[in-house]
């Protein structure tokens, strides 16, 4: 769990932008949780970073997709994302860099699927198996998102990013509660990630 601001462009987590129209009434607005400086309660699945869940004033957890989710068809965890950030040179502004990171992640997944990945890349992808994300329960909402596009990037999605300073993620006002969830864990073959259940642990 972490505490985030909702900016004019959405929620920013580790060089990824999560956004949906459901956030529109709350952009730039403080949450009702004054003890957290008006930041919003956000939950992440450490094994699948393609979406986050935010608790809106109705009390429910609402799923918010990564703006590049339609182009990334497999779950990925923090270790994979850190690797992508390490190997991807930064060119252009933050919007361009995020798109480059998403493209590099897509290419890595394609290499593993076609058996052209290096041994290190293959180990990175297969050393842990992701917890599945279940269908939405009554306790949280999933907004409608458009289906994946067959070719290329959705240029309109890049326009949805904010124009804040290039690097510092701190500029987005995030405050993370450590939970050790990003550390790789052996796959047991059991369990689904349930953000509502996870929220009960805090």
């Amino acid at each position: 769990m972490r505490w985030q601001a909702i900016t004019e462009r959405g929620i920013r987590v580790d060089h990824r932008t999560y956004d949906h129209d459901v956030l529109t009434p709350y952009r730039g607005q403080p949450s009702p949780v004054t003890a957290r400086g008006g930041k919003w309660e956000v939950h992440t699945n450490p094994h699948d970073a393609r979406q986050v869940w935010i608790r809106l004033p109705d009390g429910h957890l609402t799923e918010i997709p990564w703006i590049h989710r339609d182009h990334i068809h497999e779950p990925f965890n923090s270790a994979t994302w850190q690797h992508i950030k390490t190997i991807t040179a930064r060119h252009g502004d933050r919007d361009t860099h995020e798109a480059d990171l998403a493209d590099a992640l897509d290419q890595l997944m394609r290499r593993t699927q076609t058996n052209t990945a290096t041994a290190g890349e293959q180990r990175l992808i297969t050393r842990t198996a992701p917890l599945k994300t279940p269908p939405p329960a009554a306790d949280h909402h999933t907004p409608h998102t458009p289906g994946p596009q067959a070719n290329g990037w959705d240029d309109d999605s890049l326009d949805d990013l904010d124009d804040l300073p290039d690097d510092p993620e701190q500029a987005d006002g995030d405050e993370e509660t450590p939970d050790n969830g990003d550390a790789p864990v052996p796959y047991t073959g059991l369990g689904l990630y349930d953000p509502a259940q996870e929220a009960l642990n805090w």
Side-chain angles (χ1 to χ4, degrees), residues 9-13 15-23 27 42-44 48-54 56 61-72 76 98 133 141-148 154 157 160-161:
R9 302 301 182 182
I11 302 167
R12 184 79 168 169
V13 178
H15 298 273
R16 298 185 302 272
T17 304
Y18 299 84
D19 194 26
H20 191 273
D21 289 345
V22 72
L23 296 178
R27 300 182 192 279
V42 174
H43 294 260
T44 60
D48 187 356
R50 294 176 299 169
Q51 57 277 312
V52 299
W53 291 263
I54 185 169
L56 295 177
L61 289 170
T62 299
E63 182 180 319
I64 307 297
W66 182 29
I67 62 169
H68 294 295
R69 184 172 71 174
D70 288 345
H71 308 288
I72 305 298
F76 64 95
E98 182 173 4
T133 299
H141 299 163
T142 302
H144 172 73
T145 55
D154 178 1
S157 68
D160 291 336
L161 291 170

Side-chain angles (χ1 to χ4, degrees), residues 17-192:
T17 304
Y18 299 84
D19 194 26
H20 191 273
D21 289 345
V22 72
L23 296 178
T24 298
Y26 312 108
R27 300 182 192 279
Q29 300 300 313
S31 80
V33 186
T34 57
R36 292 291 183 171
K39 294 177 182 176
W40 298 80
E41 179 186 340
V42 174
H43 294 260
T44 60
N45 179 351
H47 304 282
D48 187 356
R50 294 176 299 169
Q51 57 277 312
V52 299
W53 291 263
I54 185 169
R55 193 178 300 281
L56 295 177
D58 63 4
H60 295 288
L61 289 170
T62 299
E63 182 180 319
I64 307 297
W66 182 29
I67 62 169
H68 294 295
R69 184 172 71 174
D70 288 345
H71 308 288
I72 305 298
H73 305 297
E74 296 291 336
F76 64 95
N77 62 17
S78 177
T80 301
W81 184 250
Q82 294 306 316
H83 172 72
I84 291 298
K85 290 198 300 180
T86 300
I87 66 173
T88 305
R90 181 162 193 153
H91 301 290
D93 59 17
R94 193 174 71 177
D95 299 4
T96 301
H97 185 53
E98 182 173 4
D100 288 344
L101 290 169
D103 182 58
L105 177 60
D106 177 57
Q107 294 302 316
L108 171 61
M109 291 180 171
R110 290 177 186 273
R111 289 195 297 274
T112 60
Q113 292 170 354
T114 58
N115 297 318
T116 57
T118 66
E121 289 174 337
Q122 194 67 46
R123 287 195 300 271
L124 179 68
I125 295 295
T126 62
R127 66 182 177 179
T128 59
L131 290 175
K132 297 179 180 178
T133 299
D139 188 64
H140 60 278
H141 299 163
T142 302
H144 172 73
T145 55
Q149 299 200 5
N151 296 298
W153 290 105
D154 178 1
D155 290 336
D156 291 339
S157 68
L158 298 182
D159 295 333
D160 291 336
L161 291 170
D162 52 9
D163 196 22
L164 296 175
D166 273 348
D167 185 26
E169 295 297 313
Q170 293 85 356
D172 297 302
D174 67 313
E175 175 189 349
E176 184 171 4
T177 302
D179 60 5
N180 297 323
D182 289 345
V185 295
Y187 179 50
T188 65
L190 301 174
L192 295 174

